Amino acid sequence: MHILIDIGNSTIVVAIANREGNITNTWRFKTRKEETVSFFRYELKQGLRKYGVELSDVASVTISSVVPEVDDDIAQAINDLTGIVPHFFSIEDAQGLMTIDIESPSQLGKDRLADALGAVTCYGAPAIIIDFGTATTFGVVDEHRSFKGGLIIPGVKTSLNALSQRASQLPSIHLEKPKNLVGRNTLECMQSGILYGTASMVDGLIDKLLPTFSEPVHIVATGGMAKEIVPLCHHQIEYDKYLLFKGLFKATH
């Protein structure tokens, strides 16, 4: 078994992969910068126990992190449990699979890089990669498997939280597709505005990006809100829940 970990700004997602790289199980817990090694050790141990993973069966641990404040504690927790020193995914891991053609490669989020690797190795290039996380990010890879850059936009829930906090008469809501495009009450208005508004933004940005390619483009989406947004888009978008983990596995095995 191989353990793949995505440390994001809001949550940490742990995936278990078999020797072929197929994801068999995942679990998540909140990213808490103030916590100690014992917290991360407990959360990891609980997940491994739940899915029947013997610690002796763990062959490797690979981590993609955009929250360096918790990296040392996570690494120590993993080492305490398995005796394995985890590998932190880096730009160097992408060499041979993809080139990075941006002004400051060191600033590229490891999650965006892993997403792009998953897209080009599993679906092909050129590609547009959309990740609906704390931020909604676009990644662009050309036909030569060169990562050219992208866009970063406030995420769906980030935008919704900001709206609820700033507007005193707008409540916190659960996001689901509303019955009506034109909302008949405040709840529907907010749901429709966030979901259809995001889908329209995604379609609009894809429309602007497509003319920059000379070949047919693979469009792949992932992230927590992708399953809600993708069906509302006009463009044909492939949804892949495990895209980041596939990229991590391809780059390091």
Side-chain angles (χ1 to χ4, degrees):
M1 292 291 182
H2 303 276
I3 296 176
L4 308 168
I5 302 177
D6 172 28
I7 303 177
N9 290 296
S10 301
T11 58
I12 296 171
V13 185
V14 185
I16 301 169
N18 61 22
R19 66 181 63 185
E20 289 79 29
N22 298 314
I23 307 302
T24 57
N25 295 106
T26 65
W27 72 95
R28 65 179 59 225
F29 50 94
K30 289 184 178 180
T31 305
R32 294 179 175 170
K33 299 177 185 178
E34 73 281 2
E35 287 290 355
T36 62
V37 174
S38 61
F39 167 79
F40 298 108
R41 188 167 52 234
Y42 173 82
E43 293 290 350
L44 290 166
K45 190 173 182 178
Q46 287 295 102
L48 293 171
R49 179 180 296 168
K50 177 180 179 180
Y51 294 113
V53 177
E54 297 290 338
L55 296 177
S56 57
D57 291 337
V58 179
S60 69
V61 182
T62 304
I63 301 173
S64 165
S65 175
V66 297
V67 189
E69 295 91 336
V70 305
D71 288 354
D72 288 344
D73 287 339
I74 284 274
Q76 185 61 58
I78 290 166
N79 188 252
D80 290 346
L81 288 171
T82 67
I84 294 172
V85 176
H87 173 74
F88 281 86
F89 174 66
S90 68
I91 288 176
E92 287 71 27
D93 293 320
Q95 292 176 349
L97 295 174
M98 192 172 67
T99 58
I100 313 298
D101 183 20
I102 59 176
E103 290 184 0
S104 302
S106 62
Q107 295 180 6
L108 177 61
K110 303 306 181 297
D111 51 349
R112 295 179 66 201
L113 179 58
D115 283 342
L117 278 174
V120 299
T121 55
C122 296
Y123 297 94
I128 297 172
I129 306 98
I130 310 164
D131 191 331
F132 294 93
T134 303
T136 297
T137 64
F138 280 66
V140 175
V141 180
D142 70 12
E143 65 272 20
H144 305 295
R145 286 194 173 190
S146 179
F147 186 90
K148 309 302 289 187
L151 304 91
I152 301 176
I153 307 114
V156 176
K157 290 185 178 179
T158 302
S159 298
L160 179 61
N161 290 338
L163 186 63
S164 297
Q165 290 169 9
R166 291 282 184 159
S168 58
Q169 291 188 316
L170 296 181
S172 297
I173 65 168
H174 175 68
L175 274 177
E176 59 184 25
K177 185 179 177 181
K179 295 179 181 178
N180 305 295
L181 172 61
V182 178
R184 301 280 291 168
N185 53 56
T186 300
L187 173 63
E188 282 190 351
C189 287
M190 292 178 69
Q191 290 174 332
S192 185
I194 290 288
L195 295 178
Y196 284 105
T198 300
S200 296
M201 176 198 69
V202 168
D203 278 328
L205 288 173
I206 291 172
D207 286 338
K208 289 183 177 296
L209 290 170
L210 287 179
T212 67
F213 295 92
S214 58
E215 298 182 10
V217 181
H218 303 275
I219 307 174
V220 189
T222 191
M225 289 301 300
K227 192 158 59 171
E228 285 75 18
I229 301 298
V230 167
L232 304 181
C233 295
H234 295 307
H235 285 283
Q236 184 66 38
I237 303 173
E238 186 76 34
Y239 167 62
D240 192 328
K241 182 179 180 179
Y242 300 130
L243 187 66
L244 182 146
F245 295 119
K246 291 177 180 179
L248 282 184
F249 189 87
K250 294 283 188 179
T252 56
H253 294 86

